[in-house]
Every structure is written in C-alpha cells, then in structure tokens.
C-alpha cells in the first residue's frame, strides 16, 4: 500500500488536479492521499495558506477581510467548476467567515486551506474524507502527540479503503486546531504512512527528486537516486531543502522508504530515501554536497588545554549563558573551535569573548567572520580510501584555503569551513572532483 502526499504546486489549479488523479488511479495501491492547500500557479501568485494568514491578521486588527476570503473561495470554485465536481462551499465559507470575525486562531485560519482542498480532492477522486482534526492529535501547547495520533489514525483508516486526509493540521482534545510549521503537510503524510504501515511514502512535488548539489550553483547537478535518512539529515541540516525536517522520523522508525516524485514528470523515478541503502557499490563515493553561509568561528588556544579539567564545559557555558547553541565543535590538543551562527552571535559577541576570558583565561582567542560551511556527504566515504585527499586536493588546486575541517563523528560527512566569498567555488570544486572527475 502506498501513501501519497501532494504539495501545493501539485494542486494549484484544475490542470494539476487532473495530473494528480491520473497518478493516483494509475496504481490501485495508492489508497491514502494527503494534500496541501493550493500553492502558486505562477511566480507572483499567492499561496492559499498565505491568503488565509492575511485574512486572520486583518480580522485581528478589526480590518475587513472578505476581499481576501473571496479570492480564496474563487480559487476553489474555479477548480471545482473546471473539473465538474459538484460541491457547494457556501456553508464552509460562512463558517470560516464567522469564526474569523469571532477571533478564531491563526492555526485555525491556516488549516482551512488543507481542509477545503481535502474535501475538494476527495469529491473529485470519489475517496472518503477524513478530517485531520479527528486523527492528528496535538497537546494544548501545540506539540504533536505521536503515539496517540498513530493509534487514532490506524484505527480510523482501517474503516476506509481509500481516503483523503488533509495535511498540515490536527487538533487537541478540546477540538482546538493546531498546525505544524510551514511545509508541515510532509509530516502529516509521514504520520499516515506510519499508521497504515505503508510500503512506501510518496511525496509528490514539483522537482524531480533531490540533486547532488544546489542547481543554482551547479547547474547540471545530477539527481540522487537513493540515499539514507541519515544522509538526508546531514544534507538538509546544511541547507538542502526538499522535505520538512520532521517528516523523516515517523517513517524512518518503521523502515518505510520515502520517494520524492515530480507531479509534472511522473515517469521519473525520483529520489528514494531509505533507512539503510544496503551495501550496493556506489557510482561515486559521495551522495551530495550542501552548505550555507553565515557562520563565525571562534578559536581558542591555550597550552595544555587537554589536561585542564572542565575546560570545554566552561567555554560552552559562556555560550549557554547567552542562549547560544553551537553548530560544530572541532578540537585539537591545545585549541578548540566553536562554529556558530553569525546572526545569533553578533549581538553577544563581545560579552561572550569577555566571559570566555574570565572562565578559562586562554592564551589567545581569534574570531573569523564570514565563514561558509560546506558538507560533503556520503555513506560510501568511509569505505573508500583517499576521499579526503581527493577533496582537499580539489580545494587546493582551486586556491581555496580551508579554515576548519570537521569529519562528523557519524563518518558520513566531511565538513569544511571556507571564506564566504569562496562558497560557490568550493561546492563546484568538490562536485568536479567527485562527480565530473
Ligand atoms: N500549506 C502549508 C504551507 O504553505 C503547509 C504545506 O503546504 O505543507 O506551508
């Protein structure tokens, strides 16, 4: 059995709905469908979710919002009429309008995008509609209750051969609506896949899977056929975005693979993410390259640091006291480097440095700003001899000087810190060395 999730661009207009129906009916295993709200049809278009937030914000300030709400209604009605689906949204929109006028929450407002789209899609497909408010459970603080959700979902879906369950939201015990963070329908889909123990969780979007590097930097970057959930974590932590970060956990736990597919190119197999990708030999030793700018490195030197009990803890205490968490922490015998998000650090920098001086009396502290971190990720890297040599030779050949090196303890990645101005060059050089060869 397959659970499919369709993103907003896959359901942005009637033409996209037709593609979605085609995909679902092409394989009778595709029995549970999780839709997002209609997304952008063209570059400058609005996402329905954004319009709903706008309605809420206007209502809150006591300003009229019916103009925005009418635009939303027109979008659903246009899709329904073009698809010749007989559905009347009058009661729904009357209820939404009344709720907003009476102070309904932001989460409630946003959730209506998926709710209405779920109703429309279920009518179009002839599938049952299961309201996410009944089966995705949050606590009153808006935290997902995963176990309860799993029980509710699996019990409920056992009674439905085929169903549409809207993404992005759920409710607490009192019925109050809560949503995940933006893009959260990915999580809803993963929860449904877990609850029905799907063979695969298909995440349909508008890209043909994940690429080995950001195509804005490496134009012809190859698609990744398959990777592991751990590799995905490393890549998305470093900036590759294809799935909501939290969508990994429910399916990974059950060993259910996630398949990223393109609604506009349904014959392409896309990218498969699995718990373990097996021992098959890889075409090249790396899986992907990702990175981001905006880091500062604070490097602290002190002779005999390694013998000083509690040194590391006291250094980190200086950051903790300022509410700062660090990204990487490579250490040497007499040096310790803290890589930290530059924006978070900036307002506290001087205080943090003073505090470090107070707490550990270092011989020297150096601050490197404008650092970009680039991760080269691959489960095959550990087994292949010479990976690091290849990587650093490639960087040296291009005249890129490396500020910092961190081979994650996962042994899945080698992370280098370079000057921000050499960020793109670094990614290209690594791609060249491992993929273009
Ligand atoms: N519609 C929501 C958003 O725009 C959730 C989603 O699409 O996953 O973020």
């Amino acid at each position: 059995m397959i659970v499919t999730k369709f993103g907003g661009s896959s359901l942005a207009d009637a033409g996209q709905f037709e593609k979605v129906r085609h995909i679902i009916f092409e394989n009778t295993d595709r029995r549970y469908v999780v839709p997002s709200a209609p997304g952008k049809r063209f570059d400058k278009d609005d996402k329905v979710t954004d319009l709903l937030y706008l309605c809420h914000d206007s209502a809150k300030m006591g300003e009229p919002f019916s103009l925005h709400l009418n635009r939303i209604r027109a979008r659903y009605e246009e899709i329904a009429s073009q698809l010749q689906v007989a559905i009347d949204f009058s009661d729904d929109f009357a209820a939404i309008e009344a709720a907003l006028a009476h102070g309904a929450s932001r989460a409630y407002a946003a959730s209506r995008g998926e709710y209405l789209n779920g109703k429309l899609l279920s009518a179009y497909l002839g599938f049952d509609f299961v309201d996410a408010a009944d089966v995705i459970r949050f606590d009153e603080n808006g935290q997902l209750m995963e176990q309860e959700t799993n029980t509710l979902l699996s019990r409920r879906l056992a009674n439905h051969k085929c169903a549409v369950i809207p993404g992005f939201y759920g409710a607490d015990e009192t019925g109050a609506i809560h949503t995940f963070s933006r893009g959260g329908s990915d999580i809803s889909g993963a929860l449904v896949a877990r609850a029905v123990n799907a063979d695969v969780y298909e995440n349909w979007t508008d890209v043909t899977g994940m690429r080995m590097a950001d195509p804005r930097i490496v134009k012809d970057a190859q698609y990744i056929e398959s990777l592991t959930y751990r590799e995905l974590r490393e890549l998305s932590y470093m900036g590759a975005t294809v799935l909501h970060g939290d969508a990994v956990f429910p399916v990974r736990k059950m060993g259910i693979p996630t398949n990223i597919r393109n609604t506009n190119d349904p014959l392409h197999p896309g990218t498969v993410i699995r718990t373990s990708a097996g021992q098959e030999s890889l075409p090249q030793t790396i899986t992907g390259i990702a990175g981001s700018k905006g880091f500062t490195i604070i490097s602290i030197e002190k002779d005999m640091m390694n013998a000083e009990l509690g040194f590391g803890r006291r250094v980190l205490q200086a950051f903790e006291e300022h509410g700062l968490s660090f990204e990487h922490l490579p250490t040497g015998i007499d040096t310790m480097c803290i890589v930290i998000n530059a924006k978070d650090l900036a307002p506290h920098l001087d205080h943090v440095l003073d505090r470090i001086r107070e707490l550990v009396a270092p011989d020297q502290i150096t601050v490197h700003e404008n650092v970009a971190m680039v991760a080269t990720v691959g489960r095959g890297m550990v087994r292949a001899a010479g990976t690091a040599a290849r990587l650093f030779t490639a960087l040296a050949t291009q005249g890129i000087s490396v500020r910092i090196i961190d081979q994650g303890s996962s042994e899945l990645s080698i992370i280098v810190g370079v000057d921000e101005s050499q960020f793109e060059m670094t990614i290209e050089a690594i791609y060249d060395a491992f993929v273009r060869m």
Side-chain angles (χ1 to χ4, degrees):
M1 182 212 310
I2 301 171
V3 169
T4 56
K5 179 260 167 177
F6 289 89
S9 56
S10 299
L11 293 162
D13 60 23
Q16 293 300 87
F17 266 70
E18 280 171 0
K19 292 182 193 168
V20 165
R21 182 165 77 165
H22 200 263
I23 290 166
I24 292 169
F25 286 172
E26 194 232 352
N27 185 340
T28 49
D29 285 344
R30 295 192 173 115
R31 289 171 40 199
Y32 300 108
V33 184
V34 177
S36 284
K40 291 185 181 192
R41 293 160 292 184
F42 43 86
D43 201 26
K44 294 258 149 45
D45 198 14
D46 288 304
K47 292 182 176 184
V48 163
T49 309
D50 291 323
L51 292 173
L52 285 161
Y53 280 126
L54 203 63
C55 287
H56 173 267
D57 296 347
S58 304
K60 203 169 167 203
M61 292 190 298
E63 288 169 5
F65 58 86
S66 34
L67 222 62
H68 307 311
L69 202 58
N70 288 340
R71 274 180 67 198
I72 299 171
R73 182 168 179 169
R75 283 197 65 175
Y76 289 105
E77 288 183 343
E78 184 181 289
I79 298 173
S81 90
Q82 288 180 356
L83 298 174
Q84 296 177 353
V85 178
I87 186 166
D88 183 1
F89 286 116
S90 305
D91 291 349
D92 287 312
F93 276 93
I96 296 169
E97 186 156 11
L100 286 172
H102 289 94
S105 70
R106 221 172 128 74
Y108 166 84
S111 73
R112 297 304 86 187
E114 271 70 12
Y115 172 81
L116 295 166
N117 220 23
K119 277 187 131 177
L120 176 53
L121 184 62
S122 72
Y124 180 48
L125 297 173
F127 280 20
D128 298 339
F129 175 74
V130 173
D131 189 351
D134 300 334
V135 285
I136 306 275
R137 182 63 72 239
F138 286 82
D139 67 17
E140 65 274 24
N141 301 317
Q143 290 301 314
L144 173 71
M145 299 172 78
E146 207 177 325
Q147 204 45 53
E148 288 76 358
T149 297
N150 196 48
T151 311
L152 285 169
L153 262 174
S154 50
R155 273 201 203 129
R156 179 69 183 271
L157 293 181
N159 304 321
H160 298 274
K161 185 161 183 286
C162 296
V164 173
I165 310 102
F168 192 38
Y169 73 97
D172 65 28
E173 244 171 32
T174 70
I177 299 285
H178 298 273
T179 60
F180 297 110
S181 55
R182 296 298 304 260
S185 299
D186 286 344
I187 309 171
S188 312
L191 291 166
V192 172
R194 175 186 171 192
V196 300
N197 200 4
D199 297 307
V200 51
Y201 168 36
E202 288 179 349
N203 194 296
W204 291 82
T205 169
D206 53 7
V207 293
T208 310
M210 272 185 87
R211 304 253 216 156
M212 290 191 73
D214 186 337
R216 285 167 302 184
I217 299 170
V218 182
K219 276 200 195 64
D220 58 346
Q222 287 181 16
Y223 287 100
I224 304 175
E225 255 172 63
S226 84
L227 74 164
T228 65
Y229 282 112
R230 286 177 65 204
E231 287 175 309
L232 177 73
R233 281 281 292 159
E234 301 260 346
L235 288 168
S236 23
Y237 177 69
M238 292 301 291
T241 51
V242 63
L243 263 187
H244 190 293
D246 295 343
V248 159
F249 302 107
V251 275
R252 183 171 76 177
K253 216 177 271 173
M254 301 290 289
I256 300 168
T258 299
N259 186 189
I260 313 277
R261 300 285 294 265
N262 188 349
T263 302
N264 306 319
D265 185 8
L267 295 179
H268 196 289
T271 298
V272 184
I273 309 148
R274 296 177 217 277
T275 305
S276 89
Q279 295 297 311
E280 85 278 19
S281 63
L282 297 162
Q284 54 273 107
T285 54
I286 70 164
T287 301
I289 310 156
S292 40
K293 297 181 180 177
F295 296 97
T296 297
I297 302 175
I298 299 183
S299 93
I300 301 161
E301 280 176 48
K302 187 173 186 187
D303 284 346
M304 302 292 290
M305 166 194 294
N306 61 326
E308 195 174 318
L309 202 64
F311 187 93
R313 181 184 52 71
R314 275 176 279 138
V315 169
L316 295 183
Q317 181 187 335
F319 291 90
E320 195 180 341
E321 284 173 2
H322 291 85
L324 295 166
S325 62
F326 65 90
E327 307 285 336
H328 302 277
L329 189 72
T331 55
I333 309 223
D334 294 327
T335 57
M336 179 170 171
C337 291
I338 292 100
V339 182
I340 193 154
N341 182 303
K343 254 208 215 103
D344 298 344
L345 176 66
H348 304 287
L349 180 61
D350 292 338
H351 291 120
V352 170
L353 296 180
D354 287 345
R355 193 70 180 121
I356 294 174
R357 286 189 195 103
E358 239 169 71
L359 285 164
V360 297
D363 297 335
Q364 198 176 329
I365 305 188
T366 326
V367 179
H368 296 286
E369 294 185 305
N370 306 321
V371 174
M373 302 295 286
V374 175
T376 307
V377 175
R379 61 190 181 278
M381 277 177 13
V382 227
R383 275 178 285 133
T387 310
R390 199 145 123 204
L391 197 151
F392 292 109
T393 308
L395 299 184
T397 313
Q398 294 298 317
I400 297 167
S401 69
V402 176
R403 284 263 160 88
I404 210 169
I405 303 167
D406 190 7
Q407 165 149 30
S409 39
S410 62
E411 298 191 36
L412 270 181
S413 65
I414 298 177
I415 300 170
V416 294
V418 297
D419 198 87
E420 273 180 354
S421 62
Q422 296 187 315
F423 173 66
E424 286 83 5
M425 265 173 86
T426 302
I427 292 188
E428 268 182 283
I430 300 172
Y431 190 86
D432 269 348
F434 286 95
V435 189
R436 293 211 183 94
M437 293 189 273

